[in-house]
Amino acid sequence: MSNEQETYIAPPWIKYPTYPEKSNFWRTGTGAEYLVKFNENVENKEKYYEIFPKAPSFGEEIIADDSLSENTKKLLNDPAKPLFINLWSSTGKPKYDIDFNVDKNYIFMYDQLIKDESTHIHIGTDKYSSAKEIISIVESDFRNKSDKVWEELKYTVYINALYYKIVTDINFTKELIKTGDMGIVFKSDNLEWGVEEENGKFIGKNLFGLAMMEVRDALRDVYENYDNIDWDLSGNPYSKERCMCSDVHKI
């Protein structure tokens, strides 16, 4: 790592963004080799982490609030649970609570992102065709345990599925960050995921829109210095940048 050139080896959570810290990927083979290389090229970890904060997939786990049921807390502590099921808040509830019928500072996003199968989503050793598939599989599994478990963890599932979908493609990541501080309204006929307009008003919970805003908050810090990564040192990026001119706000 050279401070004079202001270029850096890529952090593991950007080099391989869909492999959580607890994935076996980091214990053998390519992942383990990259960690060795990373450690050899980062002398001052504390300073480095100021430049490249850890991603949610590498951060400390959030402890479940006592308001969550015992079954839900048991599932969250189960080592066999899917790698990507980690709380973003202790209660499992959204960070934001915004009525976009009042707050008009927003942009629209659409169902294409959830259904998009152009790039498989690899999470650890598992592979999914889309964010929608992740949600469908986990919802079915959690509902088999109990409807209450699903109700308490559904937002956690949504935000993690969206997070891994976005970081799979650097172009999605950068386009989301470019939306700045705008509110995000997700247009969908699923009134839990998003909203529909009825008599000039939005009807729906917009949970995907709120989740995308939280994902953006995290990625803004994590990827702030992405353009200062030395890819000759780091090896090929996980995904390559391309023109997204016709895709703005359609992700």
Side-chain angles (χ1 to χ4, degrees), residues 46-97:
E46 184 177 352
K47 183 176 180 180
Y48 183 90
Y49 294 154
E50 291 177 0
I51 299 168
F52 293 102
K54 288 187 177 182
S57 57
F58 265 70
E60 293 184 8
E61 285 195 28
I62 294 173
I63 304 301
D65 188 80
D66 286 340
S67 62
L68 296 178
S69 67
E70 289 303 315
N71 283 339
T72 294
K73 287 188 284 187
K74 182 178 178 181
L75 186 150
L76 289 169
N77 291 323
D78 186 348
K81 78 177 190 300
L83 282 173
F84 55 85
I85 301 301
N86 288 310
L87 292 172
W88 283 53
S89 72
S90 61
T91 62
K93 294 179 180 178
K95 170 182 176 181
Y96 293 102
D97 181 13

Side-chain angles (χ1 to χ4, degrees), residues 48 75 80 87 111 176 187 214 224 243 247-248:
Y48 183 90
L75 186 150
L87 292 172
D111 272 354
L176 179 59
K187 295 294 288 290
E214 282 196 62
E224 181 179 4
C243 176
D247 295 329
V248 176

